[in-house]
Amino acid sequence: MGAREQMTPGFSIARSHVARALCLCLATGCLPAGDPPAGRQLVKGRSEDFVRFVDGAVGQPARILLSRQQPAENPMGFSSLALSTVDDPPPGAEITPPRALLDRVSPNALGGCGSAQCGVPVDSVGRLYLTRSTYTQSTSQPGFTQQHDELFRVDPETGTQVSLGGESRLQLSADRTRTAVAKGGDQLPLHWIVSEPGGEETMVLSLNNERFVGNDFYFRTPEAELRRLRPGGESEVLTGDVGGFEIRDSERGPVVILARSGSPPPSWALFDPVGLVATALPPATASARQLVLSPSGRYIFSVGGADRASRPPLTLFDRDTGEELQDVSPEPILGFEPIWRPGHEELWLLMANDVWGWKPGGRLMKVVDTAVTIILSDRSLFTGDGRFWYSMQPGVGDKVQIFLRSADDPGYEPLLLNPKGTGLASVQSLADGRLVVEAWISDQKRNDIYLVDPVARTARALASTGNVVAIGRERVLALLHWVTGGSGDLTMIDLPTGAHTRLAENVYSVAVDGSASGDLLAPGTRVGYLVRNRIASPFDGLWVTALP
C-alpha cells in the first residue's frame, strides 16, 4: 500500500506532463519530422481532395481550382464535387482563404474525372462554366433515378452564380470571347444563344453538329443550309443541300466535311472555311462509308460504301492534286480502325487481323501478319515520333508483355519494355524519341520508372515505388515511395544525371501549371499540390511552389 502511495504522485506528475504536452500540440500543432514542403502554404487543412490549374482571364495567370468529394444525396450513390478557388498572391502579400464557387458539381463537368488534368471551360474574362447535377426518383420508370443537369456560369472573383438553364450545351470560340449556349437537351432543332463580349445576343436554330471554327459559329439550319455567324454580324448562308457536317482539325487548319442531303446517303463533299468554297469529291470517296483525314489535312482515306461491303474498295484522295488512288481489300475488313502514323503521311489499318500500310503514291502492303498481336488505338500504336510501334504478348491476367518494333526496319529485334511478370502502367515519349516507361508488379501506383532509348536499345532505371505526374524536356515529376491508396514523396528527377530532388512528403494530388508554352517542367513553372500527413499536421493543405 505504501509503495503504491509513493508511486501515485510520480504517475500523476508524468500524466500531467503528457496532458500538458498534448494540450500544447493541440494549441500550436506538433510539427512532423522532416523538412517542410517546398513553396508557400495557401490553404491549411485536410478537406480538399484534388487541385488543378484552369485558365484565367486572357492575359492573366492560370487559376487554382480545388475540389472536394461530397456525400451522395441520391439513391444511386452518385457522388458530386464542391469547388472552390484560392488566389496565389505575390511574395509578401496577404494570403486569403479559399472562396466557394459551386457545390453538387458533376465530375463530368471537369472532363469526367477527378484528377488535376481535367479541363474546365473558361471564357475570356475568367468565368467558369460548370454543370450541377441533382437526382430525383424517375416518374416514368419507378425504381430508377433521374439525373437533372443545370449549366452555371460562375465568376471566381465575385462568387456570382448565373444559371444558364437545365440540360444545356456550351460552345466557346477560339479566343474565348464568344459563347454559344443551347437549352432543352437533345430535342431538335436546338435554340442556340450566341453571346458577344459586349453582351449582345443572337438566337439561331440548328439541327446539331454546331461548332465554332475559330471565332465563327457554324450551324446547320432546318432548311438544310450551312450557315455561319461571325462576331457582331448577321448569319450568312455558306452552302445548301446539307444533311449534316463535321469539322476536322488538321495542321493546315479546320476542314469541313459535308454530307449532302439530296443524294442517297452518304454523299460527301468538302467546304473550305477560308475560301468559302464547296468542293465535290471523286465518286469512290464521295460515296464511302467513312472518311479519315490525315494529320496534315492533305489526304483523305475512305472505305467503300455498303453496296460493296464484302470486298470494299479502299481509297486515298489527294486534296492537292485531285488524284484518287484505289485498292481492294484482299479479305473482308474486320475490326477496321485506320491510324495515321505520326510524322509520316502513311496509313496503317487492320484487315482480317493483319496490319496493312499504305503510303501515298504506293500500294497497299502487309506490314504485320497474325503472328503478332498489336495494340491498335490512336494513342498507343506508335511512339510520338512514329519511328516505332507497340505490340503485345498476352501474359497472366493483366500482366501483358509489351514490345517495341521498328516501323521501317524489318530487321529490328523487338525490344521488351516491361520484364516478364510485370504490367505496363504507361509509356510516354520525349521530344528526342526516348521513352519514360512505368512497370508495376502489384500496384499501378508503385512502379519501376526507367528511361528507354529505342535506337541505342538501352534502359536506365530512374526510380521505383512511384508514379509519374508530368514529363518535361529533361526532367520528370513523380510521386515516389507511394503508400497504397494514399500519398507519396513529390520528387523531381533529372534525366541527364538521374538526381532526385524531393519537394514534399505525403502528397496525394498534384497539378502543373501548363499555361506557359515550351518545357512543361521548366525552372519557375508553378506546381500546386495537396499534403495530408498520416497524423494531422500544420503542413497539411495546399502548397504552391516554383520549380527549381
Side-chain angles (χ1 to χ4, degrees), residues 9 41 73 89 110 121 137 251 274 287 319 358 368 377 398 414 457 465 475 542:
Q41 188 178 26
E73 297 179 353
L110 306 183
Q137 292 289 342
E251 296 166 3
V274 177
S287 61
R319 295 176 60 202
W358 200 358
V368 183
S377 75
D398 50 4
R457 301 181 64 86
T465 66
R475 305 199 290 185
L542 170 68

Side-chain angles (χ1 to χ4, degrees), residues 308-346:
R308 294 169 287 184
S310 59
R311 293 177 68 83
L314 309 178
T315 304
L316 196 65
F317 173 62
D318 188 336
R319 295 176 60 202
D320 288 356
T321 65
E323 181 183 14
E324 184 183 58
L325 300 175
Q326 290 192 45
D327 211 328
V328 178
S329 166
E331 297 181 42
I333 296 179
L334 302 176
F336 177 77
E337 189 176 352
I339 297 176
W340 286 96
R341 181 180 170 192
H344 301 73
E345 296 285 18
E346 180 178 330

Side-chain angles (χ1 to χ4, degrees), residues 428-436 451 471-473 475-476 495:
Q428 300 186 59
S429 298
L430 297 174
D432 60 8
R434 293 177 299 169
L435 307 173
V436 175
L451 185 66
I471 294 179
R473 289 178 182 169
R475 305 199 290 185
V476 170
L495 294 181

Side-chain angles (χ1 to χ4, degrees), residues 368 372-375 380-381 389-393 400-405 414-415 417-418:
V368 183
V372 176
T373 303
I374 68 168
I375 303 172
S380 64
L381 175 58
W389 60 279
Y390 302 105
S391 68
M392 65 181 179
Q393 179 176 325
V400 178
Q401 288 184 283
I402 306 299
F403 293 86
L404 204 62
R405 298 173 183 266
L415 179 63
L417 291 182
N418 58 308

Side-chain angles (χ1 to χ4, degrees), residues 409-427:
D409 181 8
Y412 182 88
E413 184 69 21
L415 179 63
L416 179 63
L417 291 182
N418 58 308
K420 186 175 181 179
T422 68
L424 193 68
S426 75
V427 181

